[in-house]
Amino acid sequence: MLPADPAMILTFVVIVATIVLYAMERFALEYVALGSLVALMVIFTVFPGETGIGPGELLAGFANPALVTVTCLLIVGQALFQTDALEKPAQFIVRATKRAPHLAAAPILIAVAVISGFLNNTPVVVMFLPILSAVAAAQGKSSARLLMPLSFIAILGGMTTLIGSSTNLLVADVAARTSDVRLGFFSFTGLGLILAAVGGCYVLFVMPYLLRPRKTMADELQPSSGKQFIAQIHISNGHPLEGTTAVAGLFPALKDMTVRLVQRGERPILPPFENVTLRPGDTLIVAATRSALTAALARRHPLMGTESEESGETDPPVPQRSLTLAEAVVAPASRLSGRTISQSGFHTETGCVVMGVQRRSRMPRMAMTEIRLEPGDVLLLAGGAEEIQKLRTYRDVLLLDWSAAEVPPRRLAPRALTIFLIMVLLSATGLVPIVTASVAATFALIATGCLNVRQALRAVDSRIFMLIGASIASATALEVTGGARVIADVLVTQLQNQPPMVILSALYFLVMTLTNLLSNNATAVLLTPIAVNMAGPTGLPVEAFVTCVIFAANSSFATPIGYQTNLIVMGPGHYRFSDFLIAGTPLAILLWLTFTLVAPVYYGFAML
């Protein structure tokens, strides 16, 4: 097809305009992606040409296995977050690096780089993403500081061996069919280690300063962790705290709570609690933050029940896994004013249980059920999602909608973790394709109750869905119109009679650019034969050109569409398109310059 083909020219215009609009962020990414898709459909309707491409081919990206895989992996990650399955490993890492908290992530990232050299880097990122997210949460940091480095370090580690990335295997296969080059497991490891070391230093020491913490609206509206509620814990037979003895006046099992009073029958026991042993019938009055109370409810054996004092219920009114906590303010002129919780009939009317009371003016030292409520008091309520939502119409309290959050069902954590590890094992060993393993894991997590359908759908990121679908459509259009091949042909023509170093450097730059616009696998298939042909007239080793394509095709850092791991971390890290441009472009350029200087020495030919 001639370079002047209208469909090709318009495809170039659409791709460039789309990338510019992504970077400007003046419009939502979903709108830009949908607009580019519509533009391509119009182009190929008006100029059908000889390509035979139609709406079906352009929309095929939304059924692409890569999109299904990324979507399912986001749901799997949501299940791990929902059940707090990796809280203990994260806490262990945080404690181990307590003296140097800034080093908590570094050993993990280095381990990821090493493992990625021997396993496909996609399941490696899936494995470590929730761990790093939990570490960030335990340190009170934004996960945006760690998740993009996780993706980049996995890509760097994957470029050191033949099996580290599917791109490496694809290039080696195409090279074997078009030349005499036969790449072994460690054929390019030496040069790959140099590039990975340079890139790793950038990722560990420079990149964190370029990443801005990104938060969702829900994150921004989360209540302050320092707000204290008065709550009570009733000690019954078999309670986790039964038989616990105070040490130095404190109860070690309640380190995140301040025990203000132990009510034993008619006798109140005040601090300090010297030689006090808790026994059935005791009631502990505690002051604690919402996060501490949530943790007490979320334990496999909860410290607190959701029974109602007024109704005398002994069993939780809602299943633990569907328990939701929310905050509500006692309204002016409320019927609750001047009444205790048991006198108010609150549970009978709403189906919700008061788990804590917060009063800004003072912190009363009495049982929560004996506190007479006042306008402005904040109540921490527990109930089912439907009961919490019904509080919107309950006039005696003002529901703070943004405060509603489900209690993590930690008793399901072992189940979720087992399903996750089986998925990683099957996909990492190659026994099952990762798309099959991820879909099966998603089904298993929902079927076993670790996640409900609503929570699973909430994990699906519309930005990623539209970005992948529209990007695959653009790549398809560029390939079928011959646009990508025209770019390659122009490069070959312009580089005639140039020094070897310039030829290799230009080839790297071209492949690096295309891999961030199309995909690494599509770029590798397109450019590997061209690279083999470029080696002939120069008299240089063909292997140098083949490995050039491998390293450049792996330099997919500047856009989220460049590689699947970028898309996997985009949602959990709350990244924007521009974040990849800002943090990833310098890394891609750094690797390009490093390869340009090191490759001639490594392969033993003159630089000029």
Side-chain angles (χ1 to χ4, degrees):
M1 185 174 291
L2 295 175
D5 180 70
M8 180 195 301
I9 296 173
L10 292 175
T11 297
F12 278 124
V13 172
V14 170
I15 292 175
V16 172
T18 300
I19 294 174
V20 170
L21 291 174
Y22 281 156
M24 291 175 60
E25 295 183 345
R26 294 190 60 183
F27 305 99
L29 187 146
E30 296 93 323
Y31 296 155
V32 177
L34 182 60
S36 69
L37 186 62
V38 171
L40 291 174
M41 293 174 71
V42 171
I43 289 171
F44 287 98
T45 300
V46 177
F47 303 102
E50 302 174 359
T51 62
I53 188 173
E57 289 77 9
L58 292 174
L59 294 173
F62 293 99
N64 189 278
L67 176 56
V68 175
T69 300
V70 171
T71 300
C72 289
L73 291 178
L74 290 174
I75 295 174
V76 171
Q78 177 68 18
L80 295 177
F81 301 145
Q82 190 71 26
T83 59
D84 274 353
L86 295 168
E87 182 199 24
K88 289 185 178 179
Q91 292 292 347
F92 172 78
I93 293 171
V94 171
R95 286 194 300 268
T97 56
K98 190 173 182 179
R99 295 186 177 181
H102 60 286
L103 298 178
I108 300 176
L109 293 176
I110 294 173
V112 167
V114 174
I115 296 172
S116 295
F118 300 92
L119 294 176
N120 186 281
N121 47 26
T122 299
V124 174
V125 169
V126 173
M127 184 190 310
F128 283 92
L129 185 148
I131 295 177
L132 279 175
S133 297
V135 169
Q139 293 183 328
K141 295 182 179 179
S142 170
S143 58
R145 300 284 192 189
L146 300 178
L147 298 190
M148 193 185 296
L150 169 64
S151 175
F152 288 4
I153 206 81
I155 296 172
L156 291 170
M159 67 168 59
T160 58
T161 66
L162 184 63
I163 67 169
S165 169
S166 58
T167 306
N168 304 354
L169 292 168
L170 190 59
V171 172
D173 179 67
V174 175
R177 288 187 281 108
T178 57
S179 70
D180 296 329
V181 174
R182 301 292 185 270
L183 295 178
F185 193 95
F186 295 111
S187 291
F188 49 88
T189 299
L191 184 54
L193 287 174
I194 296 173
L195 295 177
V198 173
C201 290
Y202 169 85
V203 170
L204 292 175
F205 302 113
V206 178
M207 191 173 162
Y209 297 99
L210 301 179
L211 292 172
R212 296 176 56 189
R214 300 289 189 188
K215 293 186 178 182
T216 61
M217 183 66 71
D219 294 331
E220 296 286 355
L221 294 175
Q222 281 297 314
S224 171
S225 60
K227 189 162 55 179
Q228 298 279 323
F229 289 89
I230 287 292
Q232 63 186 38
I233 301 174
H234 181 69
I235 308 298
S236 57
N237 289 316
H239 191 277
L241 296 178
E242 181 184 0
T244 300
T245 302
V247 178
L250 302 173
F251 294 96
L254 297 173
K255 61 181 180 180
D256 295 328
M257 301 181 181
T258 301
V259 180
R260 299 179 59 81
L261 173 71
V262 176
Q263 186 72 38
R264 180 167 292 172
E266 298 297 325
R267 174 192 169 203
I269 303 175
L270 299 174
F273 305 102
E274 297 294 342
N275 301 317
V276 175
T277 300
L278 300 179
R279 58 195 188 193
D282 290 348
T283 299
L284 277 71
I285 311 304
V286 300
T289 63
R290 173 173 171 169
S291 61
L293 294 175
T294 300
L297 281 169
R299 288 176 47 151
R300 192 173 303 178
H301 301 290
L303 296 183
M304 306 173 66
T306 54
E307 66 274 5
S308 169
E309 292 286 339
E310 65 203 58
S311 63
E313 295 175 0
T314 57
D315 296 320
V318 293
Q320 183 189 6
R321 72 180 185 185
S322 61
L323 189 65
T324 298
L325 288 182
E327 297 176 26
V329 179
V330 177
S334 168
R335 291 178 300 168
L336 304 180
S337 181
R339 298 182 179 183
T340 64
I341 295 170
S342 57
Q343 293 173 345
S344 67
F346 185 80
H347 173 72
T348 302
E349 291 188 39
T350 65
C352 298
V353 178
V354 179
M355 304 302 299
V357 179
Q358 188 262 334
R359 182 168 290 171
R360 296 186 183 278
S361 59
R362 60 191 181 280
M363 187 71 73
R365 193 185 296 274
M366 64 178 67
M368 182 187 73
T369 51
E370 296 177 3
I371 298 176
R372 294 189 178 276
L373 300 177
E374 300 175 359
D377 287 348
V378 179
L379 307 180
L380 182 63
L381 306 175
E386 293 183 1
E387 284 78 10
I388 294 294
Q389 290 303 314
K390 287 179 181 178
L391 290 176
R392 293 179 176 179
T393 60
Y394 189 70
R395 301 303 179 187
D396 291 319
V397 297
L398 305 174
L399 177 66
L400 306 178
D401 280 316
W402 47 264
S403 69
E406 295 183 17
V407 176
R410 291 181 184 170
R411 61 189 176 85
L412 300 177
R415 192 180 304 174
L417 192 57
T418 300
I419 294 172
F420 170 71
L421 293 176
I422 292 174
M423 180 198 74
V424 172
L425 180 64
L426 292 176
S427 58
T429 56
L431 295 176
V432 176
I434 190 170
V435 60
T436 304
S438 60
V439 172
T442 300
F443 172 77
L445 289 167
I446 295 175
T448 57
C450 298
L451 206 64
N452 58 42
V453 175
R454 178 175 52 82
Q455 292 166 338
L457 292 176
R458 195 169 58 196
V460 178
D461 193 325
S462 61
R463 298 178 307 155
I464 295 177
F465 181 80
M466 290 302 303
L467 185 62
I468 295 178
S471 298
I472 293 175
S474 298
T476 301
L478 196 59
E479 289 180 34
V480 299
T481 58
R485 186 166 297 279
V486 166
I487 295 174
D489 290 342
V490 169
L491 173 69
V492 173
T493 302
Q494 295 298 320
L495 292 179
Q496 289 180 350
N497 303 321
Q498 293 295 322
M501 182 178 121
V502 174
I503 296 175
L504 267 182
S505 180
L507 175 63
Y508 191 109
F509 188 84
L510 172 65
V511 177
M512 178 183 72
T513 302
L514 289 180
T515 198
N516 283 285
L517 301 181
L518 303 176
S519 72
N520 49 2
N521 287 343
T523 303
V525 171
L526 177 67
L527 271 298
T528 300
I530 295 175
V532 170
N533 293 331
M534 290 175 66
T538 64
L540 300 177
V542 178
E543 182 177 338
F545 286 80
V546 174
T547 55
C548 176
V549 174
I550 288 177
F551 295 133
N554 278 293
S555 299
S556 47
F557 308 109
T559 65
I561 61 178
Y563 197 65
Q564 185 167 272
T565 57
N566 291 350
L567 291 166
I568 291 173
V569 303
M570 186 177 181
H574 312 309
Y575 296 117
R576 300 176 183 173
F577 194 93
S578 61
D579 292 327
F580 287 89
L581 284 175
I582 293 171
T585 302
L587 176 57
I589 294 175
L590 180 62
L591 294 185
W592 168 51
L593 295 175
T594 302
F595 179 87
T596 300
L597 297 175
V598 174
V601 178
Y602 184 83
Y603 287 105
F605 58 83
M607 297 181 65
L608 298 175

